[in-house]
Amino acid sequence: MKNTIKVFGIIALVAVIGFSMACGGGDNGDNTGGNTGGNTGGNTGGNTGGNTGGNTGSNTFTSIADFRTWLNAQPANTAATAYRVKLNISDLGGTSNTDGSLGNALITNLTKGVSLDLSGSILTSIGSQAFLKCYGLTSVIIPNSVTSIGSQAFRDCLYLTSVNIPNGVTGIGEQVFSGCKSMTGVTIPNSVTYIGNSAFSVTGLSSVTIPSSVTSIGTTAFSSTNLTSITIPNSVTRIGVSAFKNCTKLTSVTFQGTIIAENLVSSGQINPFEGDLRDKYLAGGIGTYTTTTPVPADIDNWKPVWTKK
């Protein structure tokens, strides 16, 4: 069993490296040899012509099995030439490690970029780990009927750049988008009341608006992101430890309300924010705080000094 797991891990790593190298090659011209002629003949049997013109078309399927059969037959591509797929289904079939699931169809085709449209599907939830480590997933449209997204649903989808969170989802669960390094922005709807632990950690987020419906921001929720500024609305009453840890580009934080000391969770010398921001806010209250402290080579020694504007 250990050998089997090791072999699968090596295969997955090789596939990711291959897809990564392909993505790093720009638009790859016309993808000669991989998708020549708009993938002519690659989508026969009821879907002919749906993926012509260099993947500008869309392929529609009503079952995961049919989609998997089709995807298995397609050549490797890049994120820039991701296959556009519309799926009208009523069940995702389990986690990405579950045989027969949608996530599993993607995870077994790691070198194939897929832009997924689920807007016509009858779904009320995206289950935990549904798309975990689906490296080829570049974008997804979630149907408006979805009201919950389970923990780690999109964790480590390395090339996921675009996803919508329907207005009806009440919370962003634990590690839902953690590790989505290509995700630079996301819209959080006004229906969301909490942002879970590590929900957006280690992503490419450079900006985000926290809606006034949010009351709680979890531990390491936005840690290791590219945020440059953030506004904490007055609805937020709790921020977990390390919520914005290692956000080395974060230079401006605005607090619009009052959060009591015990709800700005700390553990020893570790606070929700780097440096002395917690202490400065508790002393200075509502307002905008900025820092110009440079980040040293050893990030563990970074102790930014914050000043209220």
Side-chain angles (χ1 to χ4, degrees):
M1 176 63 74
K2 290 182 179 179
N3 290 334
T4 300
I5 293 173
K6 183 181 294 185
V7 169
F8 180 78
I10 293 172
I11 292 172
L13 178 60
V14 170
V16 173
I17 292 173
F19 187 65
S20 174
M21 291 176 65
C23 290
D27 62 8
N28 202 31
D30 60 356
N31 203 21
T32 303
N35 198 26
T36 304
N39 203 24
T40 303
N43 193 27
T44 57
N47 252 342
T48 303
N51 195 31
T52 59
N55 293 323
T56 57
S58 178
N59 304 279
T60 301
F61 301 92
T62 56
S63 80
I64 295 172
D66 287 346
F67 164 63
R68 184 184 193 121
T69 298
W70 173 83
L71 187 60
N72 287 346
Q74 304 311 304
N77 61 0
T78 69
T81 58
Y83 297 115
R84 294 175 57 188
V85 174
K86 185 175 179 63
L87 226 80
N88 300 326
I89 54 178
S90 58
D91 188 349
L92 298 179
T95 74
S96 59
N97 286 323
T98 304
D99 287 342
S101 71
L102 177 55
N104 194 251
L106 294 170
I107 207 171
T108 53
N109 284 279
L110 293 178
T111 61
K112 300 167 187 179
V114 174
S115 174
L116 194 60
D117 181 353
L118 296 174
S119 60
S121 294
I122 304 173
L123 301 170
T124 58
S125 66
I126 304 295
S128 297
Q129 301 184 3
F131 297 99
L132 173 67
K133 297 186 178 181
C134 290
Y135 304 128
L137 185 62
T138 62
S139 68
V140 60
I141 299 176
I142 300 174
N144 291 330
S145 53
V146 168
T147 57
S148 68
I149 302 176
S151 62
Q152 304 182 56
F154 295 95
R155 201 191 96 190
D156 292 337
C157 288
L158 300 181
Y159 294 98
L160 182 67
T161 61
S162 175
V163 62
N164 67 302
I165 302 173
N167 191 12
V169 171
T170 56
I172 312 299
E174 184 172 333
Q175 299 183 47
V176 167
F177 297 107
S178 180
C180 294
K181 295 183 178 182
S182 299
M183 179 186 291
T184 59
V186 67
T187 299
I188 302 175
N190 291 325
S191 55
V192 170
T193 59
Y194 69 91
I195 299 172
N197 297 344
S198 302
F200 294 100
S201 65
V202 200
T203 63
L205 278 185
S206 58
S207 66
V208 68
T209 298
I210 300 174
S212 58
S213 55
V214 171
T215 60
S216 175
I217 299 173
T219 299
T220 62
F222 293 97
S223 65
S224 299
T225 59
N226 293 323
L227 291 174
T228 57
S229 65
I230 193 71
T231 296
I232 310 297
N234 60 9
S235 57
V236 172
T237 58
R238 184 182 187 280
I239 302 178
V241 67
S242 298
F244 295 90
K245 181 178 176 61
N246 290 342
C247 291
T248 57
K249 297 180 180 181
L250 186 63
T251 59
S252 176
V253 178
T254 298
F255 294 91
Q256 294 183 330
T258 300
I259 305 173
I260 59 177
E262 53 262 42
N263 284 343
L264 278 174
V265 183
S266 61
S267 177
Q269 298 298 312
I270 305 175
N271 298 310
F273 299 89
E274 295 283 7
D276 63 356
L277 181 55
R278 179 179 184 274
D279 293 337
K280 293 288 179 64
Y281 165 71
L282 290 175
I286 294 171
T288 297
Y289 296 77
T290 61
T291 183
T292 57
T293 304
V295 181
D298 183 358
I299 193 174
D300 290 335
N301 293 324
W302 186 44
K303 306 295 181 186
V305 176
W306 295 81
T307 303
K308 186 177 182 181
K309 294 178 66 175

